[in-house]
Amino acid sequence: MARLAAGLALLLPGAAAALEEPIPLPSGLVADFQELRIETREGQGALARFRFVAQNLGETAPDLDVLSADMDFLCDQVALPSIPVEYPDPGQIVISIGAAPTEFGVSRPDILQVFESYRIEEDRCMWEAF
């Protein structure tokens, strides 16, 4: 059963303010926080989906190594410290960046979106292949 975390009030102290500001990425792009979705899963820990928008994402051909570094940064430096207190040990974090805001679960082939999945080990995000 999936549930949307109700606002930023569920986040750790200080995390809400950090997500309200534009986030400079290692690539030079700037990401804005779109939403956090929490899916509870029996016996696997929660799945935390952090969704971001970087308006300039689609302006040049994406370099996958550069985008990967941006995704790693968002997981380690933004998402992990912002896990809601109700889900202290998520089983998985998914980071997505879109060129424009999108509705979750709705296919938008006209909008560039990238996704990465991570498991948490020793308070760090470890990349996982989908």
Side-chain angles (χ1 to χ4, degrees):
M1 174 176 202
R3 83 175 193 87
L4 177 62
L8 298 177
L10 299 178
L11 300 177
L12 294 171
L19 291 175
E20 291 175 6
E21 298 296 322
I23 303 162
L25 301 177
S27 67
L29 290 173
V30 176
D32 292 306
F33 176 70
Q34 181 179 345
E35 72 173 335
L36 167 60
R37 301 181 69 85
I38 300 289
E39 298 174 21
T40 56
R41 306 176 303 175
E42 281 297 315
Q44 298 179 33
L47 168 62
R49 295 179 187 272
F50 284 82
R51 302 182 69 221
F52 299 90
V53 174
Q55 301 285 334
N56 299 332
L57 181 63
E59 289 183 3
T60 61
D63 179 317
L64 297 181
D65 290 331
V66 171
L67 285 176
S68 180
D70 285 350
M71 306 289 268
D72 293 348
F73 173 84
L74 285 170
C75 191
D76 281 320
Q77 302 300 316
V78 179
L80 198 55
S82 301
I83 296 295
V85 295
E86 290 81 51
Y87 305 98
D89 297 312
Q92 185 177 26
I93 293 177
V94 173
I95 302 291
S96 66
I97 305 174
T102 58
E103 184 178 343
F104 181 76
V106 175
S107 177
R108 290 293 307 268
D110 58 316
I111 296 176
L112 178 61
Q113 298 178 66
V114 292
F115 304 84
E116 289 288 4
S117 176
Y118 300 86
R119 69 182 182 284
I120 309 308
E121 284 186 14
E122 300 177 12
D123 295 324
R124 293 208 50 226
C125 293
M126 304 301 288
W127 176 79
E128 291 187 312
F130 271 109

